[in-house]
Amino acid sequence: MARIEQKLAEMGITLPPAPKPAAIYQPAKRVGNLVYLSGQDCRVDGVLKYKGKIGSDLTVEQGYDAARLTGINCLAVLKEFLGDLDKVKQIVKVLAFVNSADGFAEQPYVINGCSELFVEVFGEIGKHARSAISSNELPFHTPVEVEVIVEIED
């Protein structure tokens, strides 16, 4: 078993099939040694586990879990695209959007769910640059959407 898949198994994580695009876009696009992942959300078996705004409909803790699930979906897309997560050289950038209630300003704590997952899975190479941005609405009422840029080696 590959090293990263072994780590996921030890963490009790089984990657789901990669989510299918909801519109006309590619889930992943390679440019040189960088792979750009399109925005993912917190679907489990094709259904959003959480819906709504953090700070009114959902707590920070629920948002954190949604972000962690979103990170797992990002890994599923990456695994399908690369075939082997051991090809990841480093997680470069996480761009995250949080469906936020008026006045909510704790987006970084929500997105830590995704960031901490990447560090748990990949160790030092999972540390990344990041933006956690408030949004007044997100598609399908998902509480978080995450894009990732990954450097790979063949």
Side-chain angles (χ1 to χ4, degrees):
M1 181 180 284
R3 181 180 58 84
I4 296 301
E5 289 188 57
Q6 177 67 37
K7 178 65 177 175
L8 287 166
E10 290 168 6
M11 295 170 62
I13 296 172
T14 301
L15 291 181
K20 300 301 177 210
I24 301 172
Y25 62 86
Q26 293 181 303
K29 179 82 172 181
R30 181 175 177 170
V31 178
N33 285 339
L34 296 177
V35 175
Y36 294 79
L37 298 184
S38 294
Q40 298 299 315
D41 59 25
C42 61
R43 290 178 194 271
V44 175
D45 296 325
V47 177
L48 286 173
K49 180 170 180 183
Y50 298 101
K51 282 187 175 184
K53 294 182 181 295
I54 310 295
S56 62
D57 306 315
L58 301 166
T59 66
V60 171
E61 293 76 21
Q62 289 171 312
Y64 178 98
D65 188 52
R68 184 174 175 86
L69 288 169
T70 301
I72 290 170
N73 286 335
C74 288
L75 294 177
V77 169
L78 194 57
K79 167 79 164 99
E80 182 176 283
F81 186 76
L82 295 175
D84 181 359
L85 291 174
D86 286 351
K87 292 181 179 181
V88 172
K89 186 172 182 181
Q90 66 176 322
I91 306 293
V92 176
K93 170 81 179 193
V94 169
L95 175 59
F97 301 90
V98 178
N99 192 353
S100 301
D102 287 346
F104 181 77
E106 297 180 40
Q107 292 78 13
Y109 304 120
V110 170
I111 300 307
N112 279 347
C114 181
S115 293
E116 290 174 5
L117 171 74
F118 290 165
V119 174
E120 285 178 63
V121 171
F122 292 103
E124 192 66 27
I125 67 168
K127 294 180 180 177
H128 49 272
R130 184 181 89 178
S131 298
I133 300 169
S134 176
S135 177
N136 68 327
E137 296 292 339
L138 287 173
F140 312 109
H141 304 288
T142 185
V144 297
E145 182 171 335
V146 175
E147 299 178 7
V148 183
I149 303 170
V150 179
E151 183 182 16
I152 62 168
E153 49 194 355
D154 294 317

